[in-house]
Amino acid sequence: MQYRRLGRAGLRVSTLSLGSWVTYHNQVDVKSAAEMLAAAFDAGINFFDNAEVYAGGRSEEIMGAALRQLGWPRLNYVVSTKFFWGLDRSGEGINRKDTLNRKYLMQAIDGSLARMQLGHIDLVYCHRPDPATPVEETVRAMNDIIVQGKALYWGTSEWPADAIRAAWEVAERHGWHKPVMEQPQYHLFHRKRVEQEYARLYDECGLGLTTWSPLASGLLTGKYRAGIPEGSRGALENMAFLRDGLTDARKNAAVAALEPIAAELGGTVAQLAIAWVASNPRVSSVITGASKLSQLQDNLGALALLPKLTPEVKARIDEIAAPLAQ
């Protein structure tokens, strides 16, 4: 396993990490989570990603219970969570959802700490931008969460570059803790934000990336070329919004065209896709997901392909995938 600094921060995270979106509670219970966390840790993964909203808080509870069961020294692993959507979907708690106001954030961190049974969260993300809350209010709340020892670093997820820069400048002006990482979607068919929009932030602000969906929600595994297989992510009722993208004919044809390249390198298209994301030096960690141990082990196989992604190989990949990228 390789380890990379989280942007300009001193913290080092594994090149591949393990996330809980979709799988925890929906497909993975505490026993399975502990099994996969242990296997990932044994392979060198030290970063485990979560969010308050995943499975309505149950994802954090499952990860917390599994970590407690494993009993690792706290210094040996990095855990994240994300705040924005909240857990109150009844509409009654107006300050408890779809916001980054101070009241919500200061209580959200306490809720995550309780569910995960931890004394602190290493990385806390503002899960989406909130144009209705002054950026200074959000930045100050995140700074205070860190000053109180409830989190160590903070960052953003799916924020536009201008909003990240504005938050960074507010923190710089007041001497507060700055956002050090962003968590964007990044894969062969979704590139422009990472490669173009954020380009100036890497050197100017020291921004690190922990990217999600390297397999485009499973499209880049090739398993959706003949439709939606039973038991897959696309078959889950709460993932119905993904189905049109997963069955896109042009993208599935591109996946098929990538198979010979993956085979030449001794891997699968999925491993090739994960390795491609990791080959970007701006990416601190590639968040992978798995609903069973065999998927985790397959994903780890991407590490063997990483040194084989020469400029010539990447040019062949780009010829197939780049025309379909957003």
Side-chain angles (χ1 to χ4, degrees):
M1 182 64 66
Q2 300 176 7
Y3 299 89
R4 301 176 181 178
R5 289 179 60 192
L6 187 63
R8 201 175 287 162
L11 184 71
R12 293 195 300 169
V13 291
S14 48
T15 301
L16 300 187
S17 45
L18 183 62
S20 64
W21 182 51
V22 181
T23 56
Y24 278 39
H25 181 59
N26 294 308
Q27 297 168 294
V28 175
D29 58 14
V30 174
K31 180 181 178 182
S32 298
E35 181 182 35
M36 284 191 281
L37 287 170
F41 191 77
D42 288 345
I45 288 177
N46 74 341
F47 171 35
F48 306 102
D49 180 73
N50 216 313
E52 175 192 60
V53 74
Y54 294 168
R58 288 287 292 138
S59 178
E60 289 182 320
E61 291 175 357
I62 289 172
M63 182 175 284
L67 289 171
R68 189 176 184 84
Q69 186 179 113
L70 292 165
W72 298 329
R74 186 65 183 86
L75 188 59
N76 291 4
Y77 62 94
V78 176
V79 170
S80 69
T81 195
K82 298 180 278 291
F83 302 136
F84 175 73
W85 281 289
L87 299 178
D88 182 5
R89 310 316 298 173
S90 67
E92 296 175 1
I94 193 64
N95 285 309
R96 296 174 57 187
K97 64 185 182 66
D98 305 338
T99 185
L100 294 174
N101 68 45
R102 181 178 181 85
K103 179 173 176 60
Y104 161 68
L105 290 171
M106 301 306 290
Q107 294 181 63
I109 184 64
D110 290 338
S112 286
L113 290 172
R115 286 186 293 275
M116 298 191 77
Q117 305 179 62
L118 294 173
H120 70 272
I121 305 292
D122 300 286
L123 312 180
V124 175
Y125 298 81
C126 293
H127 210 164
R128 289 294 185 274
D130 175 15
T133 297
V135 66
E136 186 166 344
E137 178 178 340
T138 298
V139 176
R140 184 170 186 172
M142 299 308 295
N143 174 76
D144 289 349
I145 286 171
I146 293 175
V147 169
Q148 292 172 11
K150 296 178 179 180
L152 303 184
Y153 304 88
W154 81 275
T156 58
S157 180
E158 295 295 349
W159 278 34
D162 287 346
I164 296 172
R165 179 72 195 203
W168 191 92
E169 289 177 350
V170 165
E172 171 80 0
R173 186 163 62 249
H174 291 284
W176 295 339
H177 288 278
K178 302 181 183 71
V180 300
M181 69 279 182
E182 158 65 29
Q183 188 171 121
Q185 181 178 187
Y186 184 47
H187 53 73
L188 281 165
F189 300 134
H190 194 95
R191 310 185 183 190
K192 291 182 180 178
R193 173 158 273 182
V194 165
E195 297 176 2
Q196 299 175 27
E197 183 182 341
Y198 291 162
R200 64 190 176 93
L201 300 179
Y202 303 127
D203 293 326
E204 292 178 7
C205 302
L207 190 70
L209 302 180
T210 61
T211 63
W212 62 278
S213 198
L215 298 179
S217 296
L219 172 65
L220 285 161
T221 65
K223 64 184 176 184
Y224 292 103
R225 287 166 56 189
I228 306 292
E230 186 177 347
S232 67
R233 175 173 295 189
L236 295 173
E237 193 58 38
N238 60 344
M239 293 290 114
F241 66 93
L242 295 173
R243 289 173 192 161
D244 287 346
L246 293 174
T247 55
D248 183 288
R250 293 179 65 208
K251 289 180 179 177
N252 275 293
V255 172
L258 289 169
E259 285 184 350
I261 299 175
E264 286 175 26
L265 300 182
T268 65
V269 174
Q271 292 166 340
L272 179 71
I274 293 171
W276 180 86
V277 176
S279 72
N280 185 333
R282 299 300 188 180
V283 173
S284 301
S285 188
V286 183
I287 300 171
T288 63
S291 59
K292 51 189 176 182
L293 189 58
S294 59
Q295 288 180 334
L296 169 63
Q297 292 167 337
D298 286 345
N299 291 340
L300 287 167
L303 294 171
L305 271 61
L306 188 53
K308 301 177 183 179
L309 293 185
T310 63
E312 293 75 20
V313 170
K314 293 183 76 172
R316 291 172 63 194
I317 294 170
D318 277 349
E319 186 176 355
I320 295 167
L324 301 176
Q326 299 175 333

